[in-house]
Amino acid sequence: MDSVIVGGVYQNNVSTTSTRYNALSVGNSSWQSSESAYQNVVPTDGVIKKLSVRLSADAGTSPSAYRFTLRLNGVSTALTCTITADDITGFDLSNEVSVSAGDLVNIMCEPINSPSVAVKVAWSVIFTPTAANESVVMGIGAAYSGSTVYMQPIFCANNVYISTEANTQLLMPTSGTFKKLYVAFLNGDPGTSPSAYTVTLRVNSASSTLACTIVADNTTGNDTGHSVHVDENDLISIRTTRVSSPSNTLTMAYSMVFSPDTDGESLLASYGGSLSNSAVNYGGVVNYCNQNSFLTTSLWGMKGINTCSVGKFHVKMDSEPYVNSDSDKFTYLIRKNGVGTALTGEVAGHSTTFTDNTTTVDFSAGDGIDVIATPNSLPLVSSVFISAIAFITPTSTGWSHKIYGVTPSKVMGIPTTSISKISSI
């Protein structure tokens, strides 16, 4: 199956004079001069392809341009596109880059011929796994030496450590299995043995069996032996725990494979704290840091997306909007290129959730995607979990055979509902 990796930086402009780097997944709010600051670790073998980039404005006057390139373990790859003056989108739909579990990936931006316009950027790529029915979830956080336990969202691109788990949890829009946890420290190791950090997937505020410990003098670790099934509406987070007092605070890349129960689905999820009850709130379907996910700045959360269908729109608020009447509410809307779509719903009065598992909206390579929350009648201020799925129809495996005496739900790992033709089951 193909899955979508989304990213973007609409908080700050990219440099018009110098090469800059960012995480491939999600994207930090600022472009970095140091490549090692924000790299994602890949949790499984596969191919990255179909780079699409969208700018907030064109580069200025020809021959000014911006070039974007996928980097693999600090080396430029063939997956690249250049956006010249008078254009705001660019694509590389032909080149593909093979990656292996444990590789580090990021995106590089190079200004060409002194662009006169500083721009904001959104991007996306497609990931095709070697193993069937695998999508990737990649984040960046911090391993903090000054606190015993702290949390990060599974989608993140900021070297932060957060003590309150509720501020890091993400809402599952669908069911599936997490596995293949990979962790890489980007700027050192924990300190002196036996000092270490343990990284654990948490489900509904409880530790799962999916975890790995990285001891001093090592910078990478993984858990490929455990898997954890999760259900729709579960709350997911990452916990990092100090072991034997590590001395170094580290930037930490982490990732997992998510195998959806419905083949072709990949995750989009974010959290917004303290929504405004008097102005439109702008956020992303993924965000670089949960504590700053929704602001009243237009297009704050814009991310790039690829060719797919977005659906299974979920909203969960920490508190009901009710203050004086049932007209106290927030209306949530997923937008395409700044324009509203059919993916919309409200949380009003004494309710705290909204779910639409039916409506889908098609997106194309080069599109931008964000979420807005519009208050009505000064509702009670609350935090909110938002999630959805990006769906790409799986391609046929081309396998044909007869199966006798059973009624399988899957054939060669592919759900029977996703197979183009089934006879006599």
Side-chain angles (χ1 to χ4, degrees):
M1 60 171 269
D2 286 350
S3 62
V4 180
I5 298 173
V6 302
V9 182
Y10 261 64
Q11 295 85 15
N12 295 288
N13 294 325
V14 72
S15 174
T16 60
T17 59
S18 302
T19 299
R20 292 291 185 261
Y21 304 92
N22 216 314
L24 179 65
S25 175
V26 184
N28 183 260
S29 61
S30 298
W31 291 85
Q32 306 294 317
S33 58
S34 172
E35 181 166 26
S36 63
Y38 292 110
Q39 294 172 294
N40 294 116
V41 61
V42 178
T44 192
D45 298 350
V47 169
I48 297 176
K49 60 185 181 182
K50 295 186 179 179
L51 172 66
S52 68
V53 181
R54 182 181 185 87
L55 307 182
S56 59
D58 65 65
T61 305
S62 182
S64 295
Y66 289 99
R67 179 166 58 233
F68 298 88
T69 304
L70 175 72
R71 301 270 288 179
L72 173 62
N73 297 321
V75 178
S76 293
T77 70
L79 191 62
T80 184
C81 72
T82 300
I83 305 178
T84 57
D86 301 326
D87 287 328
I88 63 167
T89 56
F91 309 92
D92 182 348
L93 304 181
S94 57
N95 290 300
E96 300 183 356
V97 177
S98 296
V99 295
S100 300
D103 281 345
L104 298 176
V105 293
N106 59 300
I107 191 167
M108 177 176 71
C109 176
E110 300 170 279
I112 299 172
N113 295 320
S114 302
S116 59
V117 179
V119 299
K120 298 174 175 63
V121 188
W123 62 84
S124 177
V125 293
I126 295 294
F127 179 78
T128 303
T130 300
N133 194 33
E134 291 189 344
S135 65
V136 295
V137 175
M138 301 189 292
I140 296 172
Y144 177 48
S145 62
S147 178
T148 301
V149 175
Y150 40 91
M151 311 290 176
Q152 285 95 16
I154 61 171
F155 286 119
C156 188
N158 199 12
N159 57 345
V160 297
Y161 39 88
I162 302 171
S163 58
T164 303
E165 184 166 24
N167 293 342
T168 66
Q169 292 174 312
L170 296 179
L171 179 68
M172 288 298 301
T174 191
S175 59
T177 299
F178 285 103
K179 58 185 179 180
K180 297 184 181 180
L181 171 65
Y182 273 73
V183 179
F185 296 138
L186 302 179
N187 59 341
D189 68 85
T192 303
S193 183
S195 296
Y197 288 104
T198 297
V199 180
T200 305
L201 174 68
R202 301 264 289 177
V203 181
N204 298 324
S205 301
S207 294
S208 74
T209 57
L210 190 59
C212 74
T213 298
I214 303 177
V215 182
D217 300 325
N218 296 285
T219 59
T220 62
N222 62 72
D223 179 356
T224 58
H226 295 95
S227 61
V228 178
H229 190 270
V230 296
D231 295 317
E232 180 183 358
N233 294 316
D234 279 348
L235 294 174
I236 309 300
S237 58
I238 292 289
R239 184 175 78 169
T240 305
T241 307
R242 292 193 311 160
V243 179
S244 299
S245 301
S247 57
N248 295 330
T249 295
L250 303 169
T251 301
M252 177 180 71
Y254 48 88
S255 63
M256 296 174 291
V257 164
F258 177 69
S259 294
D261 288 345
T262 301
D263 195 16
E265 294 182 343
S266 52
L267 300 177
L268 305 171
S270 65
Y271 168 91
S274 299
L275 296 179
S276 170
N277 67 355
S278 60
V280 176
N281 300 269
Y282 298 86
V285 291
V286 295
N287 278 306
Y288 82 97
C289 175
N290 269 18
Q291 293 178 317
N292 299 297
S293 292
F294 281 77
L295 293 179
T296 56
T297 304
S298 180
L299 298 178
W300 165 263
M302 181 68 71
K303 301 295 178 184
I305 198 165
N306 232 292
T307 302
C308 66
S309 297
V310 174
K312 293 191 176 181
F313 187 24
H314 286 58
V315 176
K316 174 180 167 55
M317 301 190 68
D318 283 339
S319 304
E320 61 185 36
Y322 185 92
V323 176
N324 296 307
S325 73
D326 286 339
S327 64
D328 302 332
K329 65 181 179 179
F330 286 93
T331 300
Y332 295 89
L333 175 66
I334 292 180
R335 304 193 304 171
K336 180 197 300 186
N337 303 328
V339 178
T341 70
L343 290 166
T344 185
E346 63 181 40
V347 178
H350 294 291
S351 65
T352 58
T353 62
F354 160 80
T355 300
D356 182 352
N357 282 328
T358 303
T359 304
T360 61
V361 173
D362 291 337
F363 285 78
S364 299
D367 282 342
I369 183 171
D370 70 345
V371 184
I372 63 172
T374 304
N376 181 72
S377 189
L378 295 176
L380 184 68
V381 173
S382 174
S383 301
V384 62
F385 305 91
I386 290 176
S387 62
I389 60 99
F391 180 77
I392 300 176
T393 302
T395 56
S396 172
T397 63
W399 181 84
S400 177
H401 203 71
K402 292 182 179 180
I403 301 175
Y404 296 95
V406 295
T407 305
S409 60
K410 292 184 178 181
V411 176
M412 295 186 71
I414 306 298
T416 55
T417 55
S418 300
I419 299 175
S420 60
K421 183 179 180 181
I422 300 175
S423 301
S424 302
I425 288 184

